[in-house]
DNA sequence: TTGAAAGCGCTAACAT
DNA sequence: ATGTTAGCGCTTTCAA
């Protein structure tokens, strides 16, 4: 007895029909009688037959598309809301989405693993771009929030320079005099662990916050706790800060929590502004003002790039495609 | 000129080597000289060659596994935290995860689509089980929070009866006299739209809340707004309710918001308890007490079932496997 | 170190 | 309504 898997051939033999008839029954094709269809389906079920998805996709005319999505963490609503948007955007095109997060490994490892199952990979890839492209083995990569610098890498970037300049201007108009920033710390583990590099958000902040405020920066972990902790350290070092920009909304929630704990009135004593535009921010007390990133636009741009690459008719190699999305302030009550 | 895709054959021809040599170069196998490897890699890049994932997976000895995950919505942190746990659980086994949500279509449609790309599908499947199993075409289904009643369907269920009885007892000990429930409304669209069926949570509530409280139930949408709205209606109809159980934490957040808006002190005037155990609940004011569902356990049980089915050595058909997880109260400050 | 032959398991034309 | 013949594009023996 062959010990391998049960194939279409086994079913055909058991049912006393041809392979083709089994295909017709399994896939609900029309050219088959009710009787034989049911016979085939029954014997397939009895044998526990399961079509090989690789074989059927290889033989089939229409290949189904799949895109890999690499996120920082599924525990940060920013990423999951982005994932939600991407699903919404690609579902109508019939694309599948394979999910992965940095919590499971190096970006390079994730890309290598996904490259065997996806036709394109989009998301956040910290690390060396050349290494990423090599790991992708020809599968196109679309990177978020960082420009593409090598062939095979494409990008959707965020224009924080424009956005943060406008944000700070408006905050000044609302009375802000002394800014502070709770910036993202270097990742503790994985790719590039411990190697801190100023984020684009910080760079934009330092360019526009004014000389007094540019130095009022602390780094903190990407979590609610991290934000709380960061605010405490910021206020200890810079008691005169009256307006704080926090790296993202999750951390800003922690900062607001800390402010409340310390008896600091928001926005009376301290204006707090996050970045992301999470809908959850509206449930805070007071509701969180934020520099909102249009996740739908990000998802659409990324999907657009993938579409161009995969279905654009142009044969590879393709020059890097880069699109830009500009965040916009969402004024609620914390600033 | 053939207008089809670029195959390994094209690369082999262009590089003047055999197909096999191209495979060796692309996959980083040892038995090849540096020179030819680089030659092959270069010409592959120039031609824009991308290996067919279907062909390579079909031919390869080691088949990679993929599990489909069907969730209600990626905009509800409960589901995304569950997804995070599932990723953590399956990543060490090298399984891929294909994501889908009810926002993109009927459970039956989603299952049909995923069945072509996944080796098993787990998650939430409202709708007729027989139809789901038929749509899965032999791919095993593992359903959450609903027992399996047909072959091909397996399940991880939640013991709300035990959990809610214990919860209500403890609430009584804390002074609760009159309970109310904000229950989930029927979905507005998709599968089974408009057809309301009492949830297991409601059934358990009605069994244990006592005759006076069993009737104090309103239904509301699965969203923050829905929860706010639900609490308003509950209090209008049953002003004497002093303790409210809300279908999930997301809705409970809305309820807490509404209470604050109406000047109702929590937990002084009204105890509020959610269900899920979201970490975000800790950031509310006051922090949300909740009947916590152990998402890690859910994910582990589901993955365990899939493992048994796929790698258990037993040939299909398999009898339905059902495992149980019991939610436990997580006392914070809202009750 | 490289090449030739033989599948992997299925679907798509074309018969019949 | 059913069977037959060719592939799909790659990896794996095995031989050179």
């Amino acid at each position: 007895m062959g010990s391998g898997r049960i194939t279409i051939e086994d079913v055909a033999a058991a049912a006393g029909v041809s392979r083709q008839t089994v295909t017709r029954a399994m896939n609900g094709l029309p050219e088959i009688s009710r009787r034989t269809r049911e016979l085939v389906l029954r014997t397939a079920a009895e044998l526990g037959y399961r079509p090989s998805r690789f074989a059927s996709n290889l033989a089939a005319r229409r290949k189904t598309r799949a895109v890999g999505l690499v996120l920082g963490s599924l525990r940060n609503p920013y990423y999951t809301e982005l994932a939600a948007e991407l699903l919404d955007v690609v579902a109508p095109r019939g694309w599948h989405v394979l999910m992965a997060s940095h919590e499971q490994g190096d970006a390079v490892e994730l890309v290598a693993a996904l490259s065997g199952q996806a036709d394109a990979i989009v998301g956040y890839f910290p690390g060396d771009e050349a290494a990423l492209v090599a790991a992708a083995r020809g599968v196109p990569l679309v990177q978020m929030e960082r420009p593409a610098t090598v062939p095979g890498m494409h990008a959707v970037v965020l224009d924080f320079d424009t956005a943060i300049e406008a944000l700070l201007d408006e905050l000044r108009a609302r009375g802000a005099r002394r800014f502070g920033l709770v910036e993202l710390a270097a990742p503790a583990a994985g790719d590039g662990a411990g190697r801190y590099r100023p984020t684009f958000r910080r760079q934009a902040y330092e360019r526009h916050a004014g000389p007094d405020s540019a130095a009022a920066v602390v780094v903190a972990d990407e979590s609610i706790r991290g934000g709380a902790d960061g605010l405490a350290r910021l206020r200890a070092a810079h008691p005169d800060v009256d307006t704080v920009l926090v790296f993202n909304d999750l951390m800003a929630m922690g900062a607001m929590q800390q402010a409340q704990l310390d008896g600091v009135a928001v926005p009376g004593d301290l204006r707090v502004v996050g970045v992301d535009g999470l809908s959850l921010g509206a449930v805070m007390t007071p509701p969180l003002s934020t520099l909102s990133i249009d996740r739908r636009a990000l998802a659409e741009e990324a999907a657009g790039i993938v579409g161009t690459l995969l279905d654009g008719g142009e044969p590879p190699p393709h020059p890097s495609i880069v699109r830009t999305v500009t965040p916009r302030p969402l004024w609620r009550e914390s600033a």
Side-chain angles (χ1 to χ4, degrees), chain A residues 18-143:
Chain A
S18 73
R19 286 190 321 211
Q20 176 57 323
T21 299
V22 176
T23 291
R24 285 195 267 255
M26 293 299 293
N27 297 0
L29 300 182
E31 297 148 313
I32 188 177
S33 71
R34 287 185 52 78
R35 301 176 47 94
T36 47
R37 151 168 300 131
E38 276 158 18
L39 167 66
V40 170
L41 255 26
R42 189 158 2 93
T43 74
E46 275 161 14
L47 294 175
Y49 167 62
R50 246 154 39 210
S52 154
R53 53 184 224 264
F54 299 121
S56 55
N57 279 288
L58 177 56
R61 186 141 238 104
R62 277 190 89 82
K63 310 309 199 192
T64 64
R65 316 231 86 134
V67 350
L69 178 60
V70 177
L71 300 174
S73 162
L74 293 186
R75 293 178 173 88
N76 179 339
Y78 169 75
Y79 289 115
T80 57
E81 291 190 10
L82 175 59
E85 299 295 347
L86 190 76
L87 278 192
D88 288 350
V89 168
V90 307
R93 313 185 187 196
W95 300 355
H96 290 273
V97 173
L98 289 148
M99 206 79 127
S101 97
H102 297 161
E103 292 165 338
Q104 298 147 230
D106 255 22
V108 170
E109 294 167 12
L110 297 178
V111 164
L114 287 173
S115 69
Q117 306 293 307
D119 301 301
I121 308 178
V122 317
Y124 290 80
F125 314 119
D128 178 56
E129 289 186 56
L132 289 161
V133 167
R137 294 230 218 68
V139 173
L141 256 29
V142 182
Q143 162 170 262

Side-chain angles (χ1 to χ4, degrees), chain A residues 175-218:
Chain A
R177 289 297 167 265
R178 197 65 188 271
F179 296 110
L181 174 71
V182 177
E183 151 83 334
L184 182 66
D191 223 30
R195 252 165 298 161
Y196 172 76
R197 268 183 49 84
T199 64
F200 291 121
R201 300 172 201 201
R202 175 178 191 165
Q203 293 176 36
Y205 169 85
E206 293 189 339
R207 260 193 302 273
H208 301 294
D212 284 357
S213 296
V217 176
V218 298

Side-chain angles (χ1 to χ4, degrees), chain A residues 223-243:
Chain A
S223 67
I224 292 176
R225 279 222 56 71
D229 181 56
L231 182 68
R233 282 183 286 112
L234 180 68
R235 289 190 59 249
H238 305 272
D240 56 333
V241 163
D242 59 32
T243 304

Side-chain angles (χ1 to χ4, degrees), chain A residues 231 235 255-266 268-270:
Chain A
L231 182 68
R235 289 190 59 249
M256 296 239 295
Q257 216 181 184
Q258 183 68 39
Q260 178 170 337
L261 222 64
D262 294 347
V264 177
V266 174
D269 299 336
L270 183 71

Side-chain angles (χ1 to χ4, degrees), chain A residues 307-316 318:
Chain A
T308 305
L309 262 22
L310 261 30
D311 305 312
E314 301 296 305
H318 305 272

Side-chain angles (χ1 to χ4, degrees), chain A residues 134-301:
Chain A
R137 294 230 218 68
V139 173
L141 256 29
V142 182
Q143 162 170 262
M144 306 287 203
E145 299 192 30
R146 189 173 65 163
T149 63
V150 306
M153 180 68 83
H154 307 82
V156 184
V157 298
L158 258 24
D159 183 358
F160 275 115
D161 200 69
T162 299
I164 286 182
E165 178 171 23
L167 177 77
L168 296 186
D169 283 350
E170 172 67 23
L171 283 166
R172 283 194 191 91
R174 291 173 178 233
R177 289 297 167 265
R178 197 65 188 271
F179 296 110
L181 174 71
V182 177
E183 151 83 334
L184 182 66
D191 223 30
R195 252 165 298 161
Y196 172 76
R197 268 183 49 84
T199 64
F200 291 121
R201 300 172 201 201
R202 175 178 191 165
Q203 293 176 36
Y205 169 85
E206 293 189 339
R207 260 193 302 273
H208 301 294
D212 284 357
S213 296
V217 176
V218 298
V219 303
D221 288 340
E222 188 168 17
S223 67
I224 292 176
R225 279 222 56 71
D229 181 56
L231 182 68
R233 282 183 286 112
L234 180 68
R235 289 190 59 249
H238 305 272
D240 56 333
V241 163
D242 59 32
T243 304
V244 58
L245 177 61
V246 185
F247 181 81
N248 66 204
D249 283 354
L250 203 66
M251 294 166 72
M253 288 178 190
M256 296 239 295
Q257 216 181 184
Q258 183 68 39
Q260 178 170 337
L261 222 64
D262 294 347
V264 177
V266 174
D269 299 336
L270 183 71
R271 275 166 280 262
V272 177
V273 182
V275 176
D276 280 351
L278 300 188
S279 49
L280 244 13
V283 191
M284 302 289 96
T285 344
L288 180 66
S289 291
T290 178
L291 188 56
S292 176
I293 297 171
D294 186 341
R295 272 104 48 209
R296 164 62 64 141
L298 265 186
E300 276 170 352
E301 296 297 356

